[in-house]
Amino acid sequence: MTEVRTRFAPSPTGYLHIGGARTALFSWLYARHTNGKFILRIEDTDAQRSTEEATSQILESMEWLGLNWDEGPFYQSKRLDIYRSYVQKLLDAGKAYWCECTPDDLEKKREIALSEKRKPKYDGTCRHKGHGPGPGRVVRLAVPFTGVTAFDDMIKGRIAVNNDELDDLIILRSDGMPTYNFTVVIDDATMNITHVIRGDDHVNNTPRQIIIYEALGFELPQFAHVPMILGPDKTKLSKRHGATSAMVYKEMGYLPEALVNYLVRLSWSHGDQEIFSLQELIEFFDVHDVGSSAAVFNTEKLLWLNQYYIKKAREEGRLEELSALLKPIIQERGYVSPGANLINSIITDVGDRAKTLVDIVDIGDFYFKENIEIPEDLGKKFFTPEIAPYLAAIIDELGKADFSDKAQMENAFNHVLEDNHIKFKIIAQPVRIALTGKTMSPGIFEMMETLGKDKVISRLKAVLK
């Protein structure tokens, strides 16, 4: 059996869109499922729009998602001589020709075609004139006038186009740059790509590319066009629906395994299973099982998955891993990043309530602050004159306790409760607010252990004043 070779070929004109990330994931998974190869290619022939920053961001996104490539990255900008050599082969074989029609000429032809209710396509004026290269001239492929170009899409099924619907497409522009449809064919053919898995916005390009394959005598790959991802309003996913960049999800505190698990489930399923390990995805994924209908992006479901993976990481003891991911978020919030042990304790304390890593920092912000500001309404409600002697007693008892022993902290509170004949709830909320500035927090004794004796007593003394 021929080795399966898939590819992902983004244009570095912007960030890696979430739709592109899913296409890359499907290509990667199919290569891994079949023990094949996954090739990364950067389509950067649009010199005006392509940037090094976008290229770096795409590579960083791929690495963050764990989509390692076997070959590449290859850059189209470094392969121009290869493309031009194949243009010359077509010219020499009489399968392509130089065209001198100007943009004004083409516009007039278009207007005439529309007025005559014909399809506005190039009419082949220069096809038999025998022009050579010259200023302003382009190279066009001589597309067959008759017949049908068809292919069996692995997702969409049989697709066929009458050749008289197509025109003699440009394969080399007047500035000497090859066009997208041409470079893609040359790259996929010379890199021995066996399966072209890409977004279904490329379906209309495929018949044109097949004609280029056939003109050059290349073997056709199999094509699989992945359906679009829609927003909740069933329109194309865009910024108005929320984040569309893969790396923004990293900044928002999502784990890569959560995003991978979520993206793969958009248009693909394996029974009723929702959560997959990476090994399960590699074992189960087959591009033939991808549905042809557009998928709707559901942020709530992604959040649910992310919370699951945060919890799973905590249960598996992968606190160091989470700690490393949290550090840049802590610093972005303007806090001094504490030591790894303290971050691990914070993850343990607040992780149950967090849906994202950012939530851990926001919920547990009181751990990173030097001083706590008490909201005025909470101060008036909970720090009454009657509470002052209890707080003073708590401070005194805690001063004798060893904070590495939770039982000693609990005993400190119990002494105050017994001596003053009060219940825990009388003092619990004022202490919680004094330490956090909030009415909700982790368990008081767990939180105090993480904060440490100095901070706890300092904050209690601050509200006592």
Side-chain angles (χ1 to χ4, degrees):
M1 180 180 174
T2 303
E3 179 185 61
V4 168
R5 291 173 62 86
T6 69
R7 50 74 158 180
F8 180 56
S11 297
T13 56
Y15 56 77
L16 179 60
H17 189 276
I18 210 75
R22 182 187 62 160
T23 300
L25 174 60
F26 283 0
S27 293
W28 183 87
L29 281 173
Y30 192 62
R32 297 292 173 259
H33 174 73
T34 57
N35 293 314
K37 293 289 192 298
F38 175 66
I39 290 83
L40 178 62
R41 185 170 74 231
I42 304 297
E43 298 187 340
D44 60 345
T45 53
D46 187 342
Q48 292 184 333
R49 297 177 60 216
S50 298
T51 67
E52 288 186 11
E53 181 184 1
T55 300
S56 297
Q57 196 265 7
I58 289 169
L59 297 179
E60 185 182 355
S61 299
M62 297 281 287
E63 289 169 353
W64 177 63
L65 290 169
L67 306 181
N68 57 312
W69 49 92
D70 301 300
E71 296 176 19
F74 299 104
Y75 294 85
Q76 285 190 332
S77 58
K78 298 178 180 179
R79 294 169 55 83
L80 297 179
D81 288 344
I82 297 173
Y83 307 136
R84 289 167 184 153
S85 71
Y86 280 99
V87 170
Q88 191 60 50
K89 283 184 180 181
L90 290 172
L91 286 167
D92 293 343
K95 296 179 179 179
Y97 60 92
W98 287 97
C99 173
E100 65 175 1
C101 295
T102 66
D104 287 342
D105 294 335
L106 297 175
E107 181 57 30
K108 289 175 184 176
K109 293 176 186 292
R110 180 179 175 279
E111 290 173 357
I112 292 171
L114 289 173
S115 68
E116 296 175 354
K117 296 184 179 179
R118 292 186 288 110
K119 183 168 181 162
K121 64 175 187 173
Y122 182 64
D123 60 4
T125 298
C126 295
R127 183 183 271 215
H128 302 294
K129 289 188 175 181
H131 292 311
R137 292 180 179 178
V138 302
V139 176
R140 290 181 180 272
L141 182 72
V143 174
F145 290 125
T146 60
V148 174
T149 298
F151 63 100
D152 293 309
D153 192 280
M154 298 172 73
I155 295 173
K156 295 182 172 297
R158 186 74 170 172
I159 296 175
V161 175
N162 291 325
N163 289 341
D164 61 9
E165 292 288 311
L166 308 174
D167 59 4
D168 289 356
L169 67 150
I170 295 171
I171 58 175
L172 189 74
R173 298 189 186 94
S174 59
D175 61 0
M177 292 298 289
T179 58
Y180 167 77
N181 279 316
F182 190 71
T183 58
V184 166
V185 171
I186 302 306
D187 286 339
D188 286 342
T190 56
M191 294 177 187
N192 300 313
I193 302 302
T194 61
H195 294 75
V196 174
I197 301 170
R198 58 189 177 188
D200 65 2
D201 52 331
H202 289 288
V203 167
N204 291 336
N205 289 326
T206 304
R208 295 177 173 85
Q209 292 172 10
I210 288 174
I211 290 173
I212 297 172
Y213 273 100
E214 292 173 342
L216 286 166
F218 290 143
E219 185 177 346
L220 288 179
Q222 293 189 58
F223 294 96
H225 290 90
V226 177
M228 292 175 63
I229 300 177
L230 305 179
D233 59 358
K234 304 298 176 66
T235 62
K236 186 176 179 181
L237 187 68
S238 66
K239 289 182 179 179
R240 72 176 182 277
H241 297 117
T244 56
S245 162
M247 287 307 287
V248 168
Y249 283 91
K250 179 182 180 183
E251 295 165 8
M252 291 165 60
Y254 286 83
L255 299 183
E257 53 262 53
L259 189 57
V260 164
N261 197 145
Y262 181 71
L263 288 178
V264 79
R265 288 285 288 108
L266 295 176
S267 300
W268 177 84
S269 63
H270 181 75
D272 295 327
Q273 190 170 340
E274 290 287 349
I275 296 172
F276 298 85
S277 68
L278 189 59
Q279 193 53 48
E280 285 177 323
L281 288 177
I282 291 171
E283 179 184 348
F284 298 146
F285 183 83
D286 191 325
V287 72
H288 294 89
D289 297 331
V290 174
S292 59
S293 300
V296 176
F297 197 89
N298 185 328
T299 304
E300 287 303 311
K301 190 167 184 179
L302 174 56
L303 273 172
W304 172 79
L305 269 173
N306 202 56
Q307 186 172 27
Y308 166 83
Y309 278 104
I310 290 175
K311 181 180 179 182
K312 185 171 184 284
R314 289 173 60 237
E315 290 173 347
E316 292 175 351
R318 291 156 46 207
L319 298 181
E320 296 295 335
E321 178 185 327
L322 295 177
S323 176
L325 295 171
L326 275 171
K327 281 185 178 179
I329 299 172
I330 294 168
Q331 291 165 354
E332 284 167 12
R333 288 289 193 274
Y335 303 132
V336 175
S337 183
N341 289 338
L342 181 53
I343 298 179
N344 292 348
S345 296
I346 293 169
I347 294 169
T348 301
D349 288 353
V350 304
D352 277 341
R353 296 170 54 200
K355 294 182 178 180
T356 68
L357 297 177
V358 169
D359 284 348
I360 292 177
V361 178
D362 289 346
I363 294 170
D365 60 354
F366 54 87
Y367 286 114
F368 310 107
K369 295 177 179 178
E370 284 302 315
N371 301 299
I372 296 298
E373 292 184 11
I374 308 297
E376 186 177 352
D377 59 332
L378 294 182
K380 287 181 178 179
K381 181 177 180 180
F382 290 98
F383 299 118
T384 60
E386 293 79 12
I387 292 295
Y390 306 146
L391 280 178
I394 287 288
I395 292 169
D396 184 54
E397 289 291 338
L398 287 175
K400 307 170 189 174
D402 178 355
F403 272 47
S404 64
D405 183 353
K406 195 185 299 181
Q408 290 193 35
M409 289 186 279
E410 292 178 2
N411 287 336
F413 271 74
N414 289 333
H415 289 159
V416 174
L417 301 180
E418 292 168 3
D419 291 348
N420 292 277
H421 307 291
I422 58 173
K423 293 185 176 180
F424 182 66
K425 66 179 182 180
I426 299 296
I427 195 67
Q429 199 68 324
V431 169
R432 176 177 285 109
I433 293 168
L435 299 180
T436 69
K438 305 175 183 182
T439 56
M440 293 185 67
S441 77
I444 284 181
F445 301 114
E446 291 79 7
M447 176 177 58
M448 288 169 58
E449 183 179 9
T450 301
L451 280 169
K453 188 171 186 175
D454 291 344
K455 272 191 176 181
V456 168
I457 292 178
S458 173
R459 292 179 183 184
L460 292 174
K461 284 182 176 179
V463 295
L464 188 59
K465 291 180 181 178

